[in-house]
Amino acid sequence: WIGKSQGVEFDWQIDGLSDTLRVFTTRPDTVFGVTYMVLAPEHPLVDVLTTADHRAEVETLRQVVAGMSEIDRTSTEQEKLGAFTGAYAINPMNCERVPVYIANYVMMEYGTGAIMAVPAHDQRDFEFARKYGLPVRIVIAPEGTDLNPDAMTEAFEAAGNMVNSGTFTDLPSEEGWVKIAANMETRGIGKRTINYRLRDWC
């Protein structure tokens, strides 16, 4: 089984540190809707980022996740589990500071082991955000309809028009995808890429 995903890899600066996090996303058009970041518990930077006051919580979750199978972790029915590392990352598109979590639903085997979380437009992120009280920000709106983040019961994952997205506002999301990817490449912070996830069919 070969999973092919076309997207963008780009770098986030860690607030107060010299380290950067490279994330992979198939939806660069939603980058202005990021309200937190998530690392796989196995990510090598977790030990570096975790502050002393959050280390016990992070280590407890890492032990729980170590006992879970990949199938359980990636199941849409699996409860989303997370822990705040105490660190913050800087969104390179709007300079916003967002918290960095670890969670059971992010895998080192896919992409870079780090994701930008856009709860308004990704169902797994939406469920996590609702559980942990994290903001939901609309950046893609369906044609002729306003979305209320407080009233949403699920993520809006379809294409639409970009809103709350700086200079990219009002673009169709498909066009915004291309223009944001090109902007990242021009600035030298990211590049378009294709990820393949090779898995045994069984």
Side-chain angles (χ1 to χ4, degrees), residues 26-62:
T26 59
R27 294 292 305 271
D29 53 311
T30 66
V31 68
F32 288 87
V34 176
T35 58
Y36 63 100
M37 283 188 67
V38 185
L39 304 184
E42 305 89 350
H43 196 287
L45 280 180
V46 171
D47 288 332
V48 175
L49 301 183
T50 302
T51 58
D53 52 333
H54 291 279
R55 190 162 301 279
E57 180 184 359
V58 166
E59 289 305 319
T60 296
L61 181 60
R62 290 174 96 176

PDB file of all heavy atoms in Angstrom, residues 26-62:
ATOM      1  N   THR A  26      -0.383  19.088   3.752  1.00  0.00           N
ATOM      2  CA  THR A  26      -1.009  19.007   2.435  1.00  0.00           C
ATOM      3  C   THR A  26      -1.932  20.203   2.205  1.00  0.00           C
ATOM      4  O   THR A  26      -2.510  20.332   1.135  1.00  0.00           O
ATOM      5  CB  THR A  26      -1.834  17.714   2.290  1.00  0.00           C
ATOM      6  OG1 THR A  26      -2.853  17.689   3.303  1.00  0.00           O
ATOM      7  CG2 THR A  26      -0.944  16.484   2.426  1.00  0.00           C
ATOM      8  N   ARG A  27      -2.077  21.075   3.229  1.00  0.00           N
ATOM      9  CA  ARG A  27      -2.987  22.215   3.133  1.00  0.00           C
ATOM     10  C   ARG A  27      -2.299  23.525   3.511  1.00  0.00           C
ATOM     11  O   ARG A  27      -2.648  24.153   4.512  1.00  0.00           O
ATOM     12  CB  ARG A  27      -4.214  21.989   4.034  1.00  0.00           C
ATOM     13  CG  ARG A  27      -5.140  20.856   3.630  1.00  0.00           C
ATOM     14  CD  ARG A  27      -5.875  21.120   2.328  1.00  0.00           C
ATOM     15  NE  ARG A  27      -6.616  22.374   2.320  1.00  0.00           N
ATOM     16  CZ  ARG A  27      -7.881  22.505   2.727  1.00  0.00           C
ATOM     17  NH1 ARG A  27      -8.537  21.459   3.208  1.00  0.00           N
ATOM     18  NH2 ARG A  27      -8.500  23.679   2.641  1.00  0.00           N
ATOM     19  N   PRO A  28      -1.319  23.979   2.719  1.00  0.00           N
ATOM     20  CA  PRO A  28      -0.698  25.267   3.026  1.00  0.00           C
ATOM     21  C   PRO A  28      -1.692  26.421   2.968  1.00  0.00           C
ATOM     22  O   PRO A  28      -1.458  27.472   3.582  1.00  0.00           O
ATOM     23  CB  PRO A  28       0.391  25.403   1.965  1.00  0.00           C
ATOM     24  CG  PRO A  28      -0.040  24.499   0.847  1.00  0.00           C
ATOM     25  CD  PRO A  28      -0.722  23.356   1.521  1.00  0.00           C
ATOM     26  N   ASP A  29      -2.804  26.226   2.264  1.00  0.00           N
ATOM     27  CA  ASP A  29      -3.822  27.275   2.186  1.00  0.00           C
ATOM     28  C   ASP A  29      -4.482  27.546   3.530  1.00  0.00           C
ATOM     29  O   ASP A  29      -5.154  28.566   3.700  1.00  0.00           O
ATOM     30  CB  ASP A  29      -4.888  26.915   1.140  1.00  0.00           C
ATOM     31  CG  ASP A  29      -5.496  25.532   1.361  1.00  0.00           C
ATOM     32  OD1 ASP A  29      -4.726  24.570   1.541  1.00  0.00           O
ATOM     33  OD2 ASP A  29      -6.727  25.418   1.354  1.00  0.00           O
ATOM     34  N   THR A  30      -4.285  26.664   4.503  1.00  0.00           N
ATOM     35  CA  THR A  30      -4.893  26.848   5.829  1.00  0.00           C
ATOM     36  C   THR A  30      -3.892  27.330   6.876  1.00  0.00           C
ATOM     37  O   THR A  30      -4.197  27.357   8.072  1.00  0.00           O
ATOM     38  CB  THR A  30      -5.539  25.541   6.330  1.00  0.00           C
ATOM     39  OG1 THR A  30      -4.514  24.550   6.558  1.00  0.00           O
ATOM     40  CG2 THR A  30      -6.564  25.004   5.340  1.00  0.00           C
ATOM     41  N   VAL A  31      -2.693  27.730   6.467  1.00  0.00           N
ATOM     42  CA  VAL A  31      -1.617  28.041   7.421  1.00  0.00           C
ATOM     43  C   VAL A  31      -1.977  29.186   8.374  1.00  0.00           C
ATOM     44  O   VAL A  31      -1.494  29.222   9.512  1.00  0.00           O
ATOM     45  CB  VAL A  31      -0.303  28.333   6.669  1.00  0.00           C
ATOM     46  CG1 VAL A  31      -0.385  29.624   5.874  1.00  0.00           C
ATOM     47  CG2 VAL A  31       0.880  28.357   7.624  1.00  0.00           C
ATOM     48  N   PHE A  32      -2.843  30.101   7.947  1.00  0.00           N
ATOM     49  CA  PHE A  32      -3.233  31.198   8.825  1.00  0.00           C
ATOM     50  C   PHE A  32      -4.233  30.743   9.894  1.00  0.00           C
ATOM     51  O   PHE A  32      -4.549  31.517  10.804  1.00  0.00           O
ATOM     52  CB  PHE A  32      -3.816  32.352   8.008  1.00  0.00           C
ATOM     53  CG  PHE A  32      -2.790  33.107   7.207  1.00  0.00           C
ATOM     54  CD1 PHE A  32      -2.435  32.684   5.925  1.00  0.00           C
ATOM     55  CD2 PHE A  32      -2.157  34.221   7.733  1.00  0.00           C
ATOM     56  CE1 PHE A  32      -1.477  33.375   5.180  1.00  0.00           C
ATOM     57  CE2 PHE A  32      -1.205  34.920   7.003  1.00  0.00           C
ATOM     58  CZ  PHE A  32      -0.862  34.484   5.727  1.00  0.00           C
ATOM     59  N   GLY A  33      -4.704  29.513   9.796  1.00  0.00           N
ATOM     60  CA  GLY A  33      -5.640  28.978  10.781  1.00  0.00           C
ATOM     61  C   GLY A  33      -4.992  28.110  11.841  1.00  0.00           C
ATOM     62  O   GLY A  33      -5.675  27.499  12.667  1.00  0.00           O
ATOM     63  N   VAL A  34      -3.663  28.060  11.862  1.00  0.00           N
ATOM     64  CA  VAL A  34      -2.953  27.251  12.861  1.00  0.00           C
ATOM     65  C   VAL A  34      -3.134  27.875  14.245  1.00  0.00           C
ATOM     66  O   VAL A  34      -2.865  29.061  14.450  1.00  0.00           O
ATOM     67  CB  VAL A  34      -1.451  27.161  12.523  1.00  0.00           C
ATOM     68  CG1 VAL A  34      -0.712  26.395  13.618  1.00  0.00           C
ATOM     69  CG2 VAL A  34      -1.241  26.504  11.172  1.00  0.00           C
ATOM     70  N   THR A  35      -3.573  27.064  15.206  1.00  0.00           N
ATOM     71  CA  THR A  35      -3.704  27.563  16.578  1.00  0.00           C
ATOM     72  C   THR A  35      -2.829  26.783  17.559  1.00  0.00           C
ATOM     73  O   THR A  35      -2.734  27.153  18.722  1.00  0.00           O
ATOM     74  CB  THR A  35      -5.171  27.515  17.051  1.00  0.00           C
ATOM     75  OG1 THR A  35      -5.663  26.168  16.966  1.00  0.00           O
ATOM     76  CG2 THR A  35      -6.052  28.436  16.210  1.00  0.00           C
ATOM     77  N   TYR A  36      -2.200  25.710  17.103  1.00  0.00           N
ATOM     78  CA  TYR A  36      -1.215  24.980  17.904  1.00  0.00           C
ATOM     79  C   TYR A  36      -0.423  24.076  16.971  1.00  0.00           C
ATOM     80  O   TYR A  36      -0.784  23.904  15.797  1.00  0.00           O
ATOM     81  CB  TYR A  36      -1.873  24.175  19.035  1.00  0.00           C
ATOM     82  CG  TYR A  36      -2.815  23.080  18.580  1.00  0.00           C
ATOM     83  CD1 TYR A  36      -2.413  21.740  18.543  1.00  0.00           C
ATOM     84  CD2 TYR A  36      -4.132  23.365  18.215  1.00  0.00           C
ATOM     85  CE1 TYR A  36      -3.285  20.732  18.145  1.00  0.00           C
ATOM     86  CE2 TYR A  36      -5.004  22.365  17.819  1.00  0.00           C
ATOM     87  CZ  TYR A  36      -4.576  21.051  17.780  1.00  0.00           C
ATOM     88  OH  TYR A  36      -5.435  20.056  17.373  1.00  0.00           O
ATOM     89  N   MET A  37       0.665  23.514  17.468  1.00  0.00           N
ATOM     90  CA  MET A  37       1.452  22.540  16.720  1.00  0.00           C
ATOM     91  C   MET A  37       1.485  21.232  17.484  1.00  0.00           C
ATOM     92  O   MET A  37       1.326  21.212  18.709  1.00  0.00           O
ATOM     93  CB  MET A  37       2.887  23.027  16.504  1.00  0.00           C
ATOM     94  CG  MET A  37       3.039  24.076  15.425  1.00  0.00           C
ATOM     95  SD  MET A  37       4.788  24.410  15.108  1.00  0.00           S
ATOM     96  CE  MET A  37       5.295  22.844  14.396  1.00  0.00           C
ATOM     97  N   VAL A  38       1.697  20.137  16.755  1.00  0.00           N
ATOM     98  CA  VAL A  38       1.767  18.821  17.389  1.00  0.00           C
ATOM     99  C   VAL A  38       2.978  18.060  16.878  1.00  0.00           C
ATOM    100  O   VAL A  38       3.226  18.002  15.673  1.00  0.00           O
ATOM    101  CB  VAL A  38       0.501  17.990  17.120  1.00  0.00           C
ATOM    102  CG1 VAL A  38       0.566  16.674  17.891  1.00  0.00           C
ATOM    103  CG2 VAL A  38      -0.760  18.750  17.498  1.00  0.00           C
ATOM    104  N   LEU A  39       3.713  17.471  17.817  1.00  0.00           N
ATOM    105  CA  LEU A  39       4.816  16.575  17.490  1.00  0.00           C
ATOM    106  C   LEU A  39       4.433  15.148  17.831  1.00  0.00           C
ATOM    107  O   LEU A  39       3.656  14.900  18.763  1.00  0.00           O
ATOM    108  CB  LEU A  39       6.075  16.930  18.293  1.00  0.00           C
ATOM    109  CG  LEU A  39       6.629  18.348  18.210  1.00  0.00           C
ATOM    110  CD1 LEU A  39       7.920  18.434  19.010  1.00  0.00           C
ATOM    111  CD2 LEU A  39       6.853  18.761  16.782  1.00  0.00           C
ATOM    112  N   ALA A  40       4.992  14.215  17.079  1.00  0.00           N
ATOM    113  CA  ALA A  40       4.900  12.816  17.489  1.00  0.00           C
ATOM    114  C   ALA A  40       5.642  12.667  18.813  1.00  0.00           C
ATOM    115  O   ALA A  40       6.686  13.308  19.019  1.00  0.00           O
ATOM    116  CB  ALA A  40       5.528  11.911  16.432  1.00  0.00           C
ATOM    117  N   PRO A  41       5.141  11.856  19.750  1.00  0.00           N
ATOM    118  CA  PRO A  41       5.837  11.684  21.028  1.00  0.00           C
ATOM    119  C   PRO A  41       7.281  11.206  20.870  1.00  0.00           C
ATOM    120  O   PRO A  41       8.121  11.455  21.730  1.00  0.00           O
ATOM    121  CB  PRO A  41       4.978  10.645  21.753  1.00  0.00           C
ATOM    122  CG  PRO A  41       3.613  10.819  21.163  1.00  0.00           C
ATOM    123  CD  PRO A  41       3.854  11.156  19.710  1.00  0.00           C
ATOM    124  N   GLU A  42       7.571  10.530  19.737  1.00  0.00           N
ATOM    125  CA  GLU A  42       8.920  10.014  19.493  1.00  0.00           C
ATOM    126  C   GLU A  42       9.840  11.040  18.833  1.00  0.00           C
ATOM    127  O   GLU A  42      11.023  10.758  18.591  1.00  0.00           O
ATOM    128  CB  GLU A  42       8.844   8.784  18.573  1.00  0.00           C
ATOM    129  CG  GLU A  42       7.916   7.687  19.079  1.00  0.00           C
ATOM    130  CD  GLU A  42       6.473   7.855  18.601  1.00  0.00           C
ATOM    131  OE1 GLU A  42       6.139   8.921  18.029  1.00  0.00           O
ATOM    132  OE2 GLU A  42       5.677   6.917  18.800  1.00  0.00           O
ATOM    133  N   HIS A  43       9.338  12.219  18.532  1.00  0.00           N
ATOM    134  CA  HIS A  43      10.136  13.223  17.819  1.00  0.00           C
ATOM    135  C   HIS A  43      11.395  13.563  18.626  1.00  0.00           C
ATOM    136  O   HIS A  43      11.326  13.765  19.842  1.00  0.00           O
ATOM    137  CB  HIS A  43       9.296  14.483  17.596  1.00  0.00           C
ATOM    138  CG  HIS A  43       9.862  15.417  16.566  1.00  0.00           C
ATOM    139  ND1 HIS A  43      10.988  16.190  16.815  1.00  0.00           N
ATOM    140  CD2 HIS A  43       9.474  15.703  15.298  1.00  0.00           C
ATOM    141  CE1 HIS A  43      11.251  16.906  15.735  1.00  0.00           C
ATOM    142  NE2 HIS A  43      10.350  16.636  14.804  1.00  0.00           N
ATOM    143  N   PRO A  44      12.548  13.629  17.966  1.00  0.00           N
ATOM    144  CA  PRO A  44      13.801  13.867  18.701  1.00  0.00           C
ATOM    145  C   PRO A  44      13.881  15.215  19.420  1.00  0.00           C
ATOM    146  O   PRO A  44      14.685  15.366  20.344  1.00  0.00           O
ATOM    147  CB  PRO A  44      14.878  13.763  17.610  1.00  0.00           C
ATOM    148  CG  PRO A  44      14.150  13.966  16.322  1.00  0.00           C
ATOM    149  CD  PRO A  44      12.787  13.400  16.532  1.00  0.00           C
ATOM    150  N   LEU A  45      13.065  16.188  19.044  1.00  0.00           N
ATOM    151  CA  LEU A  45      13.122  17.488  19.702  1.00  0.00           C
ATOM    152  C   LEU A  45      12.226  17.589  20.934  1.00  0.00           C
ATOM    153  O   LEU A  45      12.254  18.609  21.632  1.00  0.00           O
ATOM    154  CB  LEU A  45      12.744  18.604  18.717  1.00  0.00           C
ATOM    155  CG  LEU A  45      13.836  19.057  17.745  1.00  0.00           C
ATOM    156  CD1 LEU A  45      13.320  20.168  16.846  1.00  0.00           C
ATOM    157  CD2 LEU A  45      15.082  19.522  18.500  1.00  0.00           C
ATOM    158  N   VAL A  46      11.449  16.548  21.213  1.00  0.00           N
ATOM    159  CA  VAL A  46      10.544  16.612  22.364  1.00  0.00           C
ATOM    160  C   VAL A  46      11.327  16.853  23.650  1.00  0.00           C
ATOM    161  O   VAL A  46      10.946  17.685  24.487  1.00  0.00           O
ATOM    162  CB  VAL A  46       9.683  15.331  22.482  1.00  0.00           C
ATOM    163  CG1 VAL A  46       8.917  15.314  23.803  1.00  0.00           C
ATOM    164  CG2 VAL A  46       8.701  15.250  21.316  1.00  0.00           C
ATOM    165  N   ASP A  47      12.432  16.142  23.837  1.00  0.00           N
ATOM    166  CA  ASP A  47      13.229  16.314  25.059  1.00  0.00           C
ATOM    167  C   ASP A  47      13.808  17.721  25.161  1.00  0.00           C
ATOM    168  O   ASP A  47      13.919  18.290  26.257  1.00  0.00           O
ATOM    169  CB  ASP A  47      14.371  15.287  25.096  1.00  0.00           C
ATOM    170  CG  ASP A  47      13.861  13.882  25.377  1.00  0.00           C
ATOM    171  OD1 ASP A  47      12.810  13.751  26.030  1.00  0.00           O
ATOM    172  OD2 ASP A  47      14.498  12.920  24.913  1.00  0.00           O
ATOM    173  N   VAL A  48      14.161  18.302  24.021  1.00  0.00           N
ATOM    174  CA  VAL A  48      14.742  19.645  24.004  1.00  0.00           C
ATOM    175  C   VAL A  48      13.686  20.695  24.339  1.00  0.00           C
ATOM    176  O   VAL A  48      13.942  21.647  25.089  1.00  0.00           O
ATOM    177  CB  VAL A  48      15.361  19.943  22.623  1.00  0.00           C
ATOM    178  CG1 VAL A  48      15.871  21.379  22.555  1.00  0.00           C
ATOM    179  CG2 VAL A  48      16.479  18.967  22.309  1.00  0.00           C
ATOM    180  N   LEU A  49      12.482  20.519  23.799  1.00  0.00           N
ATOM    181  CA  LEU A  49      11.440  21.536  23.931  1.00  0.00           C
ATOM    182  C   LEU A  49      10.701  21.498  25.261  1.00  0.00           C
ATOM    183  O   LEU A  49      10.214  22.523  25.729  1.00  0.00           O
ATOM    184  CB  LEU A  49      10.410  21.371  22.802  1.00  0.00           C
ATOM    185  CG  LEU A  49      10.919  21.465  21.369  1.00  0.00           C
ATOM    186  CD1 LEU A  49       9.754  21.341  20.397  1.00  0.00           C
ATOM    187  CD2 LEU A  49      11.654  22.765  21.138  1.00  0.00           C
ATOM    188  N   THR A  50      10.584  20.327  25.837  1.00  0.00           N
ATOM    189  CA  THR A  50       9.752  20.189  27.028  1.00  0.00           C
ATOM    190  C   THR A  50      10.371  20.912  28.229  1.00  0.00           C
ATOM    191  O   THR A  50      11.526  20.688  28.582  1.00  0.00           O
ATOM    192  CB  THR A  50       9.545  18.703  27.378  1.00  0.00           C
ATOM    193  OG1 THR A  50       8.951  18.044  26.259  1.00  0.00           O
ATOM    194  CG2 THR A  50       8.626  18.559  28.581  1.00  0.00           C
ATOM    195  N   THR A  51       9.584  21.776  28.839  1.00  0.00           N
ATOM    196  CA  THR A  51      10.051  22.518  30.008  1.00  0.00           C
ATOM    197  C   THR A  51       9.881  21.669  31.267  1.00  0.00           C
ATOM    198  O   THR A  51       9.106  20.702  31.290  1.00  0.00           O
ATOM    199  CB  THR A  51       9.268  23.834  30.157  1.00  0.00           C
ATOM    200  OG1 THR A  51       7.863  23.540  30.268  1.00  0.00           O
ATOM    201  CG2 THR A  51       9.490  24.730  28.950  1.00  0.00           C
ATOM    202  N   ALA A  52      10.609  22.027  32.308  1.00  0.00           N
ATOM    203  CA  ALA A  52      10.636  21.229  33.532  1.00  0.00           C
ATOM    204  C   ALA A  52       9.245  21.046  34.135  1.00  0.00           C
ATOM    205  O   ALA A  52       8.903  19.959  34.624  1.00  0.00           O
ATOM    206  CB  ALA A  52      11.571  21.878  34.551  1.00  0.00           C
ATOM    207  N   ASP A  53       8.400  22.081  34.074  1.00  0.00           N
ATOM    208  CA  ASP A  53       7.089  21.993  34.696  1.00  0.00           C
ATOM    209  C   ASP A  53       6.092  21.160  33.901  1.00  0.00           C
ATOM    210  O   ASP A  53       5.006  20.860  34.395  1.00  0.00           O
ATOM    211  CB  ASP A  53       6.518  23.389  34.953  1.00  0.00           C
ATOM    212  CG  ASP A  53       6.527  24.273  33.713  1.00  0.00           C
ATOM    213  OD1 ASP A  53       7.379  24.048  32.834  1.00  0.00           O
ATOM    214  OD2 ASP A  53       5.687  25.187  33.630  1.00  0.00           O
ATOM    215  N   HIS A  54       6.464  20.752  32.690  1.00  0.00           N
ATOM    216  CA  HIS A  54       5.571  19.918  31.878  1.00  0.00           C
ATOM    217  C   HIS A  54       6.161  18.538  31.592  1.00  0.00           C
ATOM    218  O   HIS A  54       5.534  17.723  30.925  1.00  0.00           O
ATOM    219  CB  HIS A  54       5.250  20.620  30.549  1.00  0.00           C
ATOM    220  CG  HIS A  54       4.392  21.838  30.713  1.00  0.00           C
ATOM    221  ND1 HIS A  54       3.024  21.771  30.869  1.00  0.00           N
ATOM    222  CD2 HIS A  54       4.706  23.155  30.767  1.00  0.00           C
ATOM    223  CE1 HIS A  54       2.532  22.996  31.000  1.00  0.00           C
ATOM    224  NE2 HIS A  54       3.538  23.847  30.958  1.00  0.00           N
ATOM    225  N   ARG A  55       7.358  18.278  32.105  1.00  0.00           N
ATOM    226  CA  ARG A  55       8.044  17.035  31.756  1.00  0.00           C
ATOM    227  C   ARG A  55       7.301  15.792  32.245  1.00  0.00           C
ATOM    228  O   ARG A  55       7.200  14.790  31.530  1.00  0.00           O
ATOM    229  CB  ARG A  55       9.473  17.044  32.310  1.00  0.00           C
ATOM    230  CG  ARG A  55      10.317  15.895  31.774  1.00  0.00           C
ATOM    231  CD  ARG A  55      11.799  16.156  31.956  1.00  0.00           C
ATOM    232  NE  ARG A  55      12.251  17.361  31.286  1.00  0.00           N
ATOM    233  CZ  ARG A  55      12.524  17.418  29.981  1.00  0.00           C
ATOM    234  NH1 ARG A  55      12.370  16.339  29.226  1.00  0.00           N
ATOM    235  NH2 ARG A  55      12.956  18.539  29.449  1.00  0.00           N
ATOM    236  N   ALA A  56       6.746  15.837  33.444  1.00  0.00           N
ATOM    237  CA  ALA A  56       6.058  14.653  33.981  1.00  0.00           C
ATOM    238  C   ALA A  56       4.854  14.287  33.119  1.00  0.00           C
ATOM    239  O   ALA A  56       4.638  13.104  32.794  1.00  0.00           O
ATOM    240  CB  ALA A  56       5.614  14.913  35.423  1.00  0.00           C
ATOM    241  N   GLU A  57       4.080  15.288  32.719  1.00  0.00           N
ATOM    242  CA  GLU A  57       2.906  15.042  31.882  1.00  0.00           C
ATOM    243  C   GLU A  57       3.306  14.484  30.518  1.00  0.00           C
ATOM    244  O   GLU A  57       2.680  13.550  30.005  1.00  0.00           O
ATOM    245  CB  GLU A  57       2.130  16.354  31.706  1.00  0.00           C
ATOM    246  CG  GLU A  57       0.875  16.229  30.861  1.00  0.00           C
ATOM    247  CD  GLU A  57       0.202  17.573  30.635  1.00  0.00           C
ATOM    248  OE1 GLU A  57       0.701  18.600  31.141  1.00  0.00           O
ATOM    249  OE2 GLU A  57      -0.829  17.596  29.944  1.00  0.00           O
ATOM    250  N   VAL A  58       4.361  15.052  29.938  1.00  0.00           N
ATOM    251  CA  VAL A  58       4.834  14.592  28.637  1.00  0.00           C
ATOM    252  C   VAL A  58       5.344  13.157  28.714  1.00  0.00           C
ATOM    253  O   VAL A  58       5.026  12.318  27.863  1.00  0.00           O
ATOM    254  CB  VAL A  58       5.944  15.538  28.108  1.00  0.00           C
ATOM    255  CG1 VAL A  58       6.694  14.907  26.931  1.00  0.00           C
ATOM    256  CG2 VAL A  58       5.328  16.871  27.688  1.00  0.00           C
ATOM    257  N   GLU A  59       6.127  12.839  29.741  1.00  0.00           N
ATOM    258  CA  GLU A  59       6.665  11.485  29.873  1.00  0.00           C
ATOM    259  C   GLU A  59       5.559  10.464  30.109  1.00  0.00           C
ATOM    260  O   GLU A  59       5.616   9.338  29.606  1.00  0.00           O
ATOM    261  CB  GLU A  59       7.694  11.436  31.003  1.00  0.00           C
ATOM    262  CG  GLU A  59       8.996  12.150  30.676  1.00  0.00           C
ATOM    263  CD  GLU A  59       9.637  11.641  29.395  1.00  0.00           C
ATOM    264  OE1 GLU A  59       9.634  10.409  29.160  1.00  0.00           O
ATOM    265  OE2 GLU A  59      10.119  12.470  28.602  1.00  0.00           O
ATOM    266  N   THR A  60       4.549  10.841  30.871  1.00  0.00           N
ATOM    267  CA  THR A  60       3.423   9.930  31.107  1.00  0.00           C
ATOM    268  C   THR A  60       2.729   9.593  29.794  1.00  0.00           C
ATOM    269  O   THR A  60       2.421   8.420  29.514  1.00  0.00           O
ATOM    270  CB  THR A  60       2.410  10.558  32.087  1.00  0.00           C
ATOM    271  OG1 THR A  60       3.048  10.741  33.347  1.00  0.00           O
ATOM    272  CG2 THR A  60       1.193   9.667  32.267  1.00  0.00           C
ATOM    273  N   LEU A  61       2.483  10.605  28.966  1.00  0.00           N
ATOM    274  CA  LEU A  61       1.823  10.350  27.684  1.00  0.00           C
ATOM    275  C   LEU A  61       2.708   9.526  26.764  1.00  0.00           C
ATOM    276  O   LEU A  61       2.228   8.633  26.065  1.00  0.00           O
ATOM    277  CB  LEU A  61       1.448  11.668  27.007  1.00  0.00           C
ATOM    278  CG  LEU A  61       0.726  11.503  25.665  1.00  0.00           C
ATOM    279  CD1 LEU A  61      -0.575  10.734  25.827  1.00  0.00           C
ATOM    280  CD2 LEU A  61       0.457  12.850  25.016  1.00  0.00           C
ATOM    281  N   ARG A  62       4.001   9.781  26.773  1.00  0.00           N
ATOM    282  CA  ARG A  62       4.908   9.001  25.924  1.00  0.00           C
ATOM    283  C   ARG A  62       4.862   7.516  26.295  1.00  0.00           C
ATOM    284  O   ARG A  62       4.913   6.644  25.414  1.00  0.00           O
ATOM    285  CB  ARG A  62       6.337   9.526  26.051  1.00  0.00           C
ATOM    286  CG  ARG A  62       6.531  10.898  25.422  1.00  0.00           C
ATOM    287  CD  ARG A  62       7.902  11.458  25.692  1.00  0.00           C
ATOM    288  NE  ARG A  62       8.828  11.205  24.609  1.00  0.00           N
ATOM    289  CZ  ARG A  62      10.078  11.655  24.575  1.00  0.00           C
ATOM    290  NH1 ARG A  62      10.546  12.377  25.589  1.00  0.00           N
ATOM    291  NH2 ARG A  62      10.862  11.398  23.558  1.00  0.00           N
TER     292      ARG A  62
END
